[in-house]
Amino acid sequence: APGPAIQFIVDDFLGHVVPLATHPYGCRVIQRILENCRHQQVNMMLNEIVESTKDLVHDQYGNYVVQHVLEHGQPKDRSGVLERLRWQLVTLSQHKFASNVVEKLLQFSAHHTRQVMLEEFTGEVNGQPAILVMMRDAYGNYVIQKALDVCQGADRERLIACIKEHLLALRKFTYGKHIIAHIDK
């Protein structure tokens, strides 16, 4: 483990994490640090990233840093990300960069987090069924496919039941057949 030898880099980054995370090279350095350093070494850096989640998920480079936090961080980091994205998951699922973060959140989170996310996906957004909005969208449909891949048991059944309510409409969507294929897996 690259202990004290690179601690000066981590320390230097503090207070500058957001501009570095949104830079084409800076984001890569942060990702390598998160992969290779012990959690206590990067705890303050993680806090800075989590605090800025809302800004970073929309950025072409910053979204990768948040994805890395979800993959390499602690459960408290993942729940911190969810807290900042809650009630916006459907909208974020329709965004080119943020949708990847939503997929990673589904993939690496605990059962409780997935339930919270499913609550949003199976609810309503602007008077429309959220699931319909997502399935119709170029990026949102991938989030639904990921949810079908990672959810199990009652959660998966709940999602499938919600999707099946809109099966007729689904067949007309460009991405509908991909979602139908995921249901049949």
Side-chain angles (χ1 to χ4, degrees):
I6 66 159
Q7 188 62 47
F8 76 97
I9 297 172
V10 176
D11 294 342
D12 247 17
F13 275 27
L14 296 178
H16 310 284
V17 172
V18 174
L20 288 163
T22 56
H23 183 275
Y25 301 122
C27 79
R28 290 187 175 169
V29 175
I30 290 175
Q31 289 173 60
R32 296 303 85 76
I33 287 171
L34 294 177
E35 286 170 15
N36 295 300
C37 292
R38 291 183 317 279
H39 190 265
Q40 69 246 33
Q41 266 187 295
V42 295
N43 196 32
M44 288 170 68
M45 183 184 281
L46 282 164
N47 292 341
E48 221 174 298
I49 295 165
V50 171
E51 284 297 318
S52 303
T53 294
K54 276 186 183 179
D55 296 322
L56 293 174
V57 296
H58 291 99
D59 185 79
Q60 63 179 329
Y61 304 113
N63 83 88
Y64 289 108
V65 173
V66 178
Q67 287 182 59
H68 249 65
V69 169
L70 295 171
E71 196 169 339
H72 299 281
Q74 301 290 306
K76 77 167 184 69
D77 302 317
R78 285 189 275 281
S79 55
V81 169
L82 175 66
E83 269 173 45
R84 281 151 187 87
L85 304 181
R86 187 126 192 233
W87 308 120
Q88 303 164 61
L89 293 171
V90 175
T91 305
L92 293 169
S93 295
Q94 298 171 74
H95 186 275
K96 183 177 182 176
F97 306 124
S99 63
N100 296 312
V101 174
V102 177
E103 284 186 50
K104 276 284 197 290
L105 191 56
L106 276 165
Q107 187 178 349
F108 290 101
S109 290
H111 178 250
H112 170 73
T113 299
R114 286 196 195 121
Q115 284 185 314
V116 168
M117 295 176 79
L118 283 181
E119 215 176 283
E120 277 188 55
F121 298 164
T122 57
E124 281 199 354
V125 64
N126 300 327
Q128 286 190 318
I131 199 99
L132 208 52
V133 171
M134 292 173 73
M135 291 189 303
R136 195 183 288 148
D137 185 76
Y139 305 111
N141 83 90
Y142 287 108
V143 174
I144 295 300
Q145 289 176 52
K146 179 59 79 178
L148 287 166
D149 287 343
V150 299
C151 291
Q152 298 170 333
D155 291 339
R156 190 169 195 278
E157 293 309 312
R158 175 181 168 195
L159 185 59
I160 289 172
C162 189
I163 292 169
K164 284 186 173 176
E165 285 177 34
H166 306 285
L167 216 51
L168 279 172
L170 185 58
R171 294 182 200 282
K172 295 176 189 156
F173 301 157
T174 313
Y175 317 104
K177 55 188 162 288
H178 303 297
I179 293 168
I180 293 168
H182 268 72
I183 291 175
D184 296 336
K185 269 189 184 178

